Amino acid sequence: VNMQKKKYLKIKLVRSLIGRPKKHQLVARGLGLKKLNSEVIREDCPEIRGMVRKISHLVKVEEIEQP
């Protein structure tokens, strides 16, 4: 039985979305980031990693064990 601990990503929006391409704004919204310095915790999976990679210049990401 695969008993791996689930990993999570703590994602914080640290740069403004004003003047950014619409796709970047939509990706941030899709992650649940609304305002500057807002934080969300998401499960670590390829889909979330891809979204983070798309706006990596706007966010700060930290890996955590527990949500």
Side-chain angles (χ1 to χ4, degrees):
V1 179
N2 192 1
M3 293 298 289
Q4 285 183 330
K5 277 192 172 182
K6 280 190 176 180
K7 291 200 176 180
Y8 294 88
L9 297 174
K10 188 170 165 184
I11 308 163
K12 182 176 184 176
L13 186 63
V14 293
R15 309 252 347 242
S16 175
L17 293 170
I18 296 173
R20 303 290 175 183
K22 191 72 175 167
K23 276 191 174 182
H24 292 190
Q25 294 176 20
L26 292 172
V27 169
R29 197 70 190 90
L31 284 169
L33 299 166
K34 297 178 185 175
K35 298 180 179 182
L36 205 55
N37 293 316
S38 61
E39 285 185 348
V40 291
I41 295 175
R42 295 286 174 255
E43 201 172 304
D44 189 1
C45 62
E47 295 86 353
I48 298 297
R49 288 262 179 187
M51 293 173 85
V52 168
R53 194 176 304 116
K54 194 91 172 161
I55 58 168
S56 61
H57 55 292
L58 305 175
V59 296
K60 191 172 105 183
V61 183
E62 193 180 322
E63 282 188 21
I64 56 175
E65 295 292 323
Q66 298 273 3

